[in-house]
Amino acid sequence: MSATNTPETSGAKAMQRAAAAIGILLVLTALLFYFAPENLYLWIKAIHVIAVISWMAGMLYLPRLFVYHADAQPGSVQSETFKVMERRLLRGIINPAMILTWVFGLWLAWKGFGFHGGWLHAKIALVVLMSGVHGYLSASVRRFAEDRNAKPARHWRIVNEIPTVLMIVIVILVVVKPF
């Protein structure tokens, strides 16, 4: 890479693009609210689902990166590559997607259900738990970046299953509304 296109500058450009995309999404949502409020609920729901899919893709991929990173020698080219991948995934996809999921999800819970329903309360509790897993993974990105990971690859294989289980239960709650 040339001096003008280092991993840091390339990552900064990716972050700027992600921030611009989120900004455009928010502006378009505001315009939709202004010009077509009767369709707003369905558009917000669509944006929420897109954000959830993006968040879950990252939450499923990041621990998988950790599985391989845990076996890489600290300071090696492979380890440094994983650090860049993990940081970009977290900052460029997972964090923005989680924020959008929460913002639009809370709006839907308020507007669509008035925050009523046992299934909705259970879903929100599980999303809080998912956010806790997100926080754990965020802290783990920092530990890996500082070459301080003490967890073996087996730990990350197990952690990789937690978002999957939470996602399955959340989807069942939303679709079936069992209580």
Side-chain angles (χ1 to χ4, degrees):
M1 281 191 183
S2 69
T4 59
N5 195 19
T6 65
E8 291 77 23
T9 59
S10 178
K13 289 178 184 176
M15 292 301 296
Q16 289 171 346
R17 286 190 303 270
I22 291 171
I24 290 168
L25 177 68
L26 293 175
V27 167
L28 290 174
T29 302
L31 290 172
L32 181 64
F33 179 73
Y34 181 74
F35 289 111
E38 67 279 356
N39 294 326
L40 183 64
Y41 184 86
L42 293 176
W43 280 99
I44 295 292
K45 188 185 236 182
I47 294 167
H48 175 68
V49 170
I50 293 164
V52 168
I53 291 169
S54 300
W55 187 24
M56 288 310 306
M59 293 289 286
L60 297 171
Y61 186 47
L62 187 58
R64 206 69 217 147
L65 288 174
F66 292 162
V67 168
Y68 302 113
H69 194 170
D71 288 335
Q73 187 67 29
S76 67
V77 172
Q78 186 180 28
S79 177
E80 297 305 309
T81 300
F82 282 126
K83 289 176 186 180
V84 170
M85 293 170 68
E86 293 157 0
R87 183 184 71 246
R88 287 182 182 174
L89 179 61
L90 181 67
R91 292 182 182 169
I93 296 173
I94 301 174
N95 287 344
M98 182 191 74
I99 292 165
L100 293 175
T101 296
W102 269 106
V103 168
F104 291 117
L106 288 173
W107 186 89
L108 290 166
W110 166 69
K111 188 70 171 174
F113 302 98
F115 286 106
H116 296 306
W119 70 270
L120 181 59
H121 298 149
K123 176 201 174 195
I124 291 171
L126 291 174
V127 176
V128 167
L129 187 58
M130 183 77 77
S131 298
V133 173
H134 177 123
Y136 177 70
L137 295 177
S138 296
S140 299
V141 167
R142 285 190 296 279
R143 281 192 293 277
F144 272 107
E146 297 166 354
D147 292 323
R148 293 187 307 110
N149 172 56
K151 308 286 186 194
R154 186 176 193 293
H155 169 81
W156 297 113
R157 282 188 182 92
I158 293 166
V159 168
N160 193 205
E161 301 307 320
I162 297 169
T164 304
V165 171
L166 289 171
M167 176 188 62
I168 289 168
V169 177
I170 290 168
V171 168
I172 289 170
L173 287 170
V174 170
V175 173
V176 178
K177 295 177 182 57
F179 49 89

